[in-house]
Amino acid sequence: MKLEQVSLPVNNKLLSEYWSGSEKLHTFFQYPLRDESYSKRAEYLKNQSYNTKQLSETIRSFMEPYGLTGKINENLSYLADGSPVIVGGQQAGILTGPLYSVHKAISVILLAKEQTVKLGTKVIPLFWIAGEDHDLEEINHTFTISQSEPKKRVYSERSKRKTMASTTEINKSELKNTIEDIFKDYGETEYTQDLYKSVVSAIEESNTFTDFFTRCMHSLFKDEGLLMIDAAFAPFRQFESKFFQQMIENNEKIAQVVVEKEQLLSEFGFGTPISATTDNANLFFVKDGERYLLERKSDYYINETANIKLTKEEILEVAVNSPENLSNNVVTRPLMQEMTMPVLAFVGGPGELAYWATLKDAFELLNLQMPLIVPRLNITLITRQVEQLLEEYQLTIKDVFNGKVKELKDKFLDSIQDEKAKEQIQQLHELVEEHYEKLLEHLNRQQIHLDQIVQKNKSYHRQQFDYLKSKIDQQVILKHEKIIRQFNTISSEIYPNDNYQERVFNPYQYLTIYGPSLISDLLELPFEFSNNHNVVHL
């Protein structure tokens, strides 16, 4: 395994300027992204009060059903004693969801290790599972490679209800069928059967999307001591009760300052990532298992679709007595994270960076500080097969990202066309057209009016000529299938659907090739947090 770092154009303006240390953008964040900020933040955390003992016990109770390793127990003890955490998170996707879920976890673990050394104090890696999210269409599928092309594999069970991932029960039989199809696409390797059995076992032991996600992530990271917590875990909601109350007491002000900050962000040319409004309560209410966004109207917290109408006093009562019926949104989730745990730094992707940029004033309104925001590692995995193809066609990773593979493939397809056959078909077409014209002239002279039937016959012949041409093209492509498949393999593996690999495939595709040590071996590589793209040659 070898690490290569390549410099690629950053298409996201906000991310690009964040890495460059833009003074203009820095005003939207608490700390600049540099070494001394970590020590400043660590000092700040020492002077804050967190109930880390209860937090640690809550996380322990969540993780116990999945198995507590020695390193997890050790990190839980450190957390109970007040050690700061590095946090990153993601929705509960099938087979961990896209690779970037794993890349976030890797980023969190490596940053925690790095800061443990630099600060001389234990820093804990923690993964925040967004199990409260209810957009199941975002998490019910993954992609594989089938016949050298990306193929979408979907868990087809549907629900019309907007239930959370953590409460949506999985159809185990249907999910097993989906997993079976996925592993068939992977093909047989020395690792396939063991991985398949472990995934099927995880399905058997799971009840919800979040259960299955957690078991998959836990199997990959348990030996690294990665702590995990589900945002929708009922005891965690109880722990958050007093913080929900603070959000409700300051609800209108939070909405106002976020709207103003987002407007300023837009004026600076960074867009409106969350489309904030002043009447958004930035909280969801869970009713009959479904999750509904609340608005503030005429002193009420409402959702007309669900016929929810609560006074401020009533929603405060919910926060006190049944906080599991409340849920955060994109604005309040970071605030809740800050109130519940000593966060040294938050690791996120470009989208998360954008919405955090709207929140500094909301943090300050609640007498909080925004933690350091660290963009996650961007990683592309290169298999040996793809490595050989890159060498054969003298291509670099940058070439693939820049579309050169498509250019080479198109050029090759042009070169193998049977132009002589096409020319002869064209001549046949012209000859038939000519004779039809003569036939029409003759019929018209005889006052036999069959123009429509003649045109229909001509159309039939045109279709047959087109069909013949397409069949010739198919045979030509079939004759050169190996080379075309090689071009497709390069594109599909590295830049599937014109997107980064980490946004499309899940880690099991690479675990079946490389083996179960993939994660531990990745964690041994000398990654650096920078705006470079990390290419790992397996």
Side-chain angles (χ1 to χ4, degrees):
M1 188 178 282
K2 184 182 72 174
L3 175 64
E4 175 190 3
Q5 293 186 320
V6 296
S7 177
L8 298 174
V10 180
N11 297 325
N12 184 297
K13 181 184 176 184
L14 193 147
L15 180 60
S16 177
E17 294 213 15
Y18 189 75
W19 276 120
S20 72
S22 161
E23 285 297 323
K24 178 173 68 174
L25 187 58
H26 170 61
T27 60
F28 293 89
F29 296 93
Q30 195 83 46
Y31 297 94
L33 189 55
R34 47 178 182 251
D35 276 349
E36 55 265 33
S37 295
Y38 289 97
S39 53
K40 285 182 181 177
R41 174 68 178 175
E43 284 302 313
Y44 164 81
L45 292 175
K46 286 177 184 177
N47 296 317
Q48 303 306 303
S49 177
Y50 295 94
N51 190 347
T52 53
K53 281 186 170 54
Q54 186 180 347
L55 175 63
S56 177
E57 283 307 310
T58 303
I59 294 173
R60 179 185 295 278
S61 65
F62 171 71
M63 295 191 71
E64 255 176 342
Y66 307 104
L68 300 176
T69 63
K71 282 196 175 180
I72 288 172
N73 276 318
E74 182 183 323
N75 283 342
L76 285 169
S77 295
Y78 274 113
L79 178 60
D81 290 339
S83 288
V85 295
I86 304 289
V87 181
Q90 190 57 38
Q91 294 162 288
I94 287 177
L95 294 174
T96 79
L99 271 162
Y100 61 67
S101 298
V102 166
H103 298 168
K104 281 182 178 179
I106 289 172
S107 302
V108 165
I109 291 166
L110 290 179
L111 189 58
K113 286 181 178 178
E114 174 191 287
Q115 290 306 315
T116 294
V117 173
K118 289 185 175 180
L119 297 176
T121 186
K122 185 66 175 177
V123 180
I124 310 299
L126 190 149
F127 197 91
W128 179 293
I129 303 167
E132 61 196 354
D133 286 358
H134 61 263
D135 190 350
L136 302 183
E137 295 298 316
E138 286 189 1
I139 63 172
N140 68 352
H141 63 274
T142 188
F143 285 83
T144 62
I145 293 178
S146 178
Q147 297 180 338
S148 304
E149 298 281 358
K151 183 176 183 66
K152 191 174 184 179
R153 290 292 188 183
V154 184
Y155 164 72
S156 57
E157 188 83 2
R158 290 290 184 277
S159 172
K160 293 180 180 178
R161 304 179 71 224
K162 298 196 297 185
T163 52
M164 299 183 292
S166 294
T167 58
T168 304
E169 290 194 4
I170 53 175
N171 180 324
K172 296 184 182 183
S173 176
E174 185 60 39
L175 185 53
K176 283 180 194 174
N177 290 337
T178 305
I179 296 302
E180 186 175 349
D181 289 338
I182 289 168
F183 273 81
K184 280 180 182 175
D185 289 344
Y186 292 159
E188 194 71 34
T189 73
E190 61 182 301
Y191 307 111
T192 307
Q193 281 304 311
D194 286 343
L195 284 167
Y196 175 72
K197 287 175 184 175
S198 72
V199 170
V200 170
S201 175
I203 294 172
E204 289 288 356
E205 294 173 1
S206 300
N207 294 314
T208 66
F209 273 100
T210 298
D211 275 344
F212 183 45
F213 173 86
T214 306
R215 289 189 189 281
C216 290
M217 287 291 285
H218 187 65
S219 71
L220 300 180
F221 292 102
K222 62 181 184 295
D223 293 332
E224 297 299 328
L226 179 67
L227 303 187
M228 290 187 283
I229 184 65
D230 173 19
F233 184 50
F236 191 48
R237 283 284 183 256
Q238 294 290 335
F239 181 56
E240 294 172 332
S241 172
K242 65 180 180 181
F243 307 122
F244 275 124
Q245 294 171 54
Q246 287 182 44
M247 289 176 181
I248 293 164
E249 291 290 0
N250 293 278
N251 199 269
E252 192 169 348
K253 292 177 183 176
I254 290 172
Q256 184 62 44
V257 296
V258 171
V259 166
E260 290 170 1
K261 203 69 171 179
E262 188 173 45
Q263 286 173 348
L264 184 61
L265 190 71
S266 178
E267 289 169 15
F268 279 31
F270 298 111
T272 53
I274 58 177
S275 302
T277 60
T278 53
D279 58 357
N280 192 335
N282 295 304
L283 291 171
F284 287 89
F285 186 81
V286 181
K287 179 183 179 183
D288 300 326
E290 295 191 74
R291 188 169 176 249
Y292 298 97
L293 186 63
L294 297 175
E295 289 184 301
R296 270 179 291 93
K297 284 186 180 178
S298 304
D299 297 325
Y300 286 95
Y301 288 77
I302 70 165
N303 183 291
E304 293 176 354
T305 304
N307 197 28
I308 296 168
K309 187 175 182 181
L310 301 166
T311 63
K312 181 178 178 181
E313 289 71 27
E314 286 171 333
I315 197 168
L316 277 169
E317 188 177 335
V318 171
V320 173
N321 297 319
S322 53
E324 64 275 8
N325 289 328
L326 294 177
S327 173
N328 297 119
N329 81 336
V330 70
V331 169
T332 52
R333 188 180 296 162
L335 298 173
M336 183 63 79
Q337 180 182 288
E338 179 66 17
M339 289 189 278
T340 55
M341 54 189 66
V343 183
L344 182 66
F346 174 79
V347 173
E352 290 163 308
L353 179 70
Y355 70 68
W356 276 77
T358 68
L359 302 179
K360 185 183 176 186
D361 292 353
F363 274 81
E364 292 176 352
L365 179 69
L366 297 175
N367 296 315
L368 305 171
Q369 272 195 9
M370 187 186 292
L372 272 88
I373 312 299
V374 183
R376 66 169 174 82
L377 295 167
N378 295 289
I379 305 171
T380 293
L381 305 175
I382 307 295
T383 64
R384 289 173 190 170
Q385 179 197 11
V386 173
E387 186 84 57
Q388 289 167 356
L389 291 175
L390 290 172
E391 289 176 9
E392 183 176 340
Y393 292 102
Q394 298 182 311
L395 290 164
T396 66
I397 300 299
K398 279 189 177 182
D399 288 336
V400 182
F401 291 141
N402 292 334
K404 191 170 180 182
V405 178
K406 186 179 185 304
E407 290 176 18
L408 287 176
K409 178 184 169 183
D410 290 344
K411 190 175 179 180
F412 177 73
L413 289 173
D414 287 341
S415 73
I416 62 174
Q417 297 301 311
D418 193 334
E419 297 298 337
K420 190 168 185 179
K422 288 183 179 180
E423 190 179 314
Q424 289 179 353
I425 293 172
Q426 182 61 28
Q427 288 171 359
L428 277 172
H429 175 66
E430 290 171 358
L431 186 63
V432 169
E433 289 278 330
E434 182 184 333
H435 282 280
Y436 268 118
E437 289 302 318
K438 288 180 181 179
L439 176 61
L440 267 175
E441 288 174 9
H442 170 74
L443 292 174
N444 286 333
R445 283 196 298 270
Q446 300 300 317
Q447 296 186 336
I448 299 171
H449 302 296
L450 296 172
D451 294 35
Q452 285 188 338
I453 293 176
V454 171
Q455 290 299 331
K456 190 173 181 180
N457 270 263
K458 282 171 67 175
S459 174
Y460 174 76
H461 280 289
R462 276 197 299 271
Q463 289 173 11
Q464 288 302 305
F465 286 136
D466 289 342
Y467 177 74
L468 181 58
K469 278 197 288 188
S470 72
K471 282 297 178 184
I472 291 170
D473 286 343
Q474 283 178 21
Q475 290 300 310
V476 168
I477 288 172
L478 197 61
K479 184 179 173 183
H480 299 278
E481 182 186 16
K482 181 182 176 183
I483 294 174
I484 294 167
R485 189 171 64 247
Q486 288 174 339
F487 284 129
N488 289 341
T489 296
I490 296 170
S491 294
S492 297
E493 289 261 9
I494 298 176
Y495 204 47
N497 300 331
D498 293 331
N499 211 337
Y500 287 126
Q501 174 198 93
E502 61 186 4
R503 293 187 167 276
V504 179
F505 302 126
N506 71 72
Y508 286 84
Q509 179 163 310
Y510 299 93
L511 286 162
T512 57
I513 296 169
Y514 192 85
S517 67
L518 176 63
I519 300 300
S520 59
D521 290 348
L522 284 172
L523 285 163
E524 291 299 318
L525 292 174
F527 288 109
E528 293 179 0
F529 288 89
S530 71
N531 59 346
N532 285 329
H533 192 93
N534 296 281
V535 179
V536 178
H537 303 265
L538 298 177

